[in-house]
Amino acid sequence: MPGIVFITGATSGFGKACAFKFASHGYDCIINGRRKDRLSELSNTLEKKYNVAVLTLAFDVQNQKDVFQSIAQIPQQWQKIDILINNAGLALGRDYFDEASLEDWNTMIDTNVKGLLYVSKAILPFMIKEKKGHVINIGSTAGKEVYERGNVYCASKHAVAAISESMRIDLLRHHIKVTAIHPGAAETEFSIVRFKGDEDTAAKVYDGFKPLSAEDVADVIYYTTSLPPHICINDLVLTATQQGNSFYFNRSGK
Ligand code: NDP
Ligand code: 8X3
């Protein structure tokens, strides 16, 4: 049953945990990210530990030309991609709308929205040819409720939710499943990236509650791909038990 999974943003967090999870179930993995050293280290580990094949594709999902050129060069034996996990993404800053940086906004929109569109558009012809496939788009609770100083990050994840719904409708005729996964707070490199290397501020995000781990999220993602062909989980929100939604937390202790 295992086949090929393509994971964007596999050098850290959810993407890396997904690579381990799918490889442990025998999937061959195509792993993407910008940090080549991390990709080759991950590739070696997965090949040795799980005896699967791994193809590394280093590119920036924001770069339209690189995305299409890299994916066009995927060798034939790797083209039967069963699962695409559109995971690469980031938040930059936690600023009031009027004070936020245009550069941060552009990067978030270019990565979280346009990057997801480019990668999907480049990979889908392979799935359409096989008349099957499963696209997993990583949204967020930030795509369910907008919070203060979340402005463009929240908007980009609302866009992921809308794109996922549209994809599901438009790809019905090709027998392709589309699942949007919306995690709540999870301790990865996400907050360190958001706060631009300020590790103390990043750590405070998880004060007083036990957040999701990358492995928790990967387990749930894997579950959605393990169902029979006639079942598709369309939209799934998962949070830590101590998180109710984007606003409500029980910070009484871990
Ligand atoms: P991490 O920062 O740990 O991982 C992000 C991954 O995305 C890295 O592998 C990074 O690789 C990759 N990435 C970022 N920008 C690009 C780019 N331009 N091109 C290619 N790859 C890129 O964060 P998470 O694992 O937490 O985040 C993964 C996804 O989950 C994101 O979409 C995020 O918005 C979402 N999310 C995170 C939550 C959380 O609380 N952690 C909750 C809900 C959703 P590299 O730098 O090597 O390119
Ligand atoms: C990440 C979760 O709450 O920081 O998408 O937006 S949150």
Side-chain angles (χ1 to χ4, degrees):
M1 215 298 256
I4 299 175
V5 61
F6 188 119
I7 306 166
T8 67
T11 57
S12 170
F14 302 164
K16 185 175 178 183
C18 281
F20 274 92
K21 182 76 187 175
F22 281 83
S24 76
H25 285 272
Y27 276 87
D28 293 329
C29 300
I30 307 178
I31 51 173
N32 155 264
R34 291 164 301 180
R35 286 170 285 186
K36 287 187 183 159
D37 52 338
R38 288 200 186 193
L39 286 176
S40 58
E41 194 188 326
L42 179 60
S43 166
N44 290 336
T45 308
L46 296 176
E47 285 177 344
K48 273 197 206 112
K49 191 163 180 196
Y50 301 112
N51 197 26
V52 294
V54 181
L55 178 68
T56 62
L57 277 192
F59 59 79
D60 183 333
V61 299
Q62 298 175 91
N63 186 320
Q64 181 181 337
K65 193 162 149 252
D66 284 358
V67 170
F68 283 92
Q69 274 182 359
S70 305
I71 292 173
Q73 284 164 14
I74 292 178
Q76 190 146 18
Q77 70 271 26
W78 282 96
Q79 289 179 4
K80 287 190 180 175
I81 294 163
D82 297 280
I83 300 163
L84 163 64
I85 306 178
N86 276 315
N87 164 75
L90 77 176
L92 285 175
R94 187 78 206 267
D95 302 303
Y96 289 107
F97 188 93
D98 50 304
E99 294 171 356
S101 128
L102 278 174
E103 199 185 326
D104 288 351
W105 283 359
N106 282 329
T107 306
M108 288 188 279
I109 291 169
D110 289 350
T111 308
N112 301 355
V113 183
K114 292 169 76 178
L116 180 148
L117 292 173
Y118 298 153
V119 173
S120 304
K121 198 96 167 79
I123 298 283
L124 277 167
F126 300 138
M127 292 185 173
I128 290 169
K129 197 169 163 202
E130 297 301 314
K131 299 190 180 65
K132 68 181 173 71
H134 194 166
V135 179
I136 311 269
N137 292 330
I138 305 301
S140 168
T141 44
K144 296 289 176 183
E145 304 100 16
V146 173
Y147 52 80
E148 188 181 62
R149 294 176 289 124
N151 43 69
V152 170
Y153 179 66
C154 296
S156 74
K157 292 301 185 178
H158 276 70
V160 171
I163 290 164
S164 302
E165 280 188 52
S166 309
M167 278 173 103
R168 188 176 313 111
I169 296 165
D170 289 349
L171 298 174
L172 272 178
R173 69 197 201 287
H174 298 299
H175 299 267
I176 292 170
K177 301 186 192 191
V178 179
T179 300
I181 307 259
H182 303 282
E187 202 161 4
T188 60
E189 293 178 12
F190 175 84
S191 291
I192 297 169
V193 171
R194 177 171 227 172
F195 296 108
K196 302 174 183 176
D198 177 348
E199 296 195 12
D200 292 339
T201 304
K204 286 199 183 89
V205 172
Y206 313 104
D207 265 357
F209 76 101
K210 182 174 179 182
L212 296 170
S213 68
E215 290 72 25
D216 297 332
V217 176
D219 286 353
V220 171
I221 292 172
Y222 181 77
Y223 171 72
T224 69
T225 69
S226 66
L227 296 167
H230 69 289
I231 308 175
C232 179
I233 294 183
N234 294 341
D235 201 66
L236 189 155
V237 181
L238 74 148
T239 64
T241 306
Q242 286 174 275
Q243 178 176 11
N245 66 9
S246 288
F247 314 115
Y248 292 95
F249 290 83
N250 172 347
R251 293 188 188 264
S252 60
K254 300 205 185 216

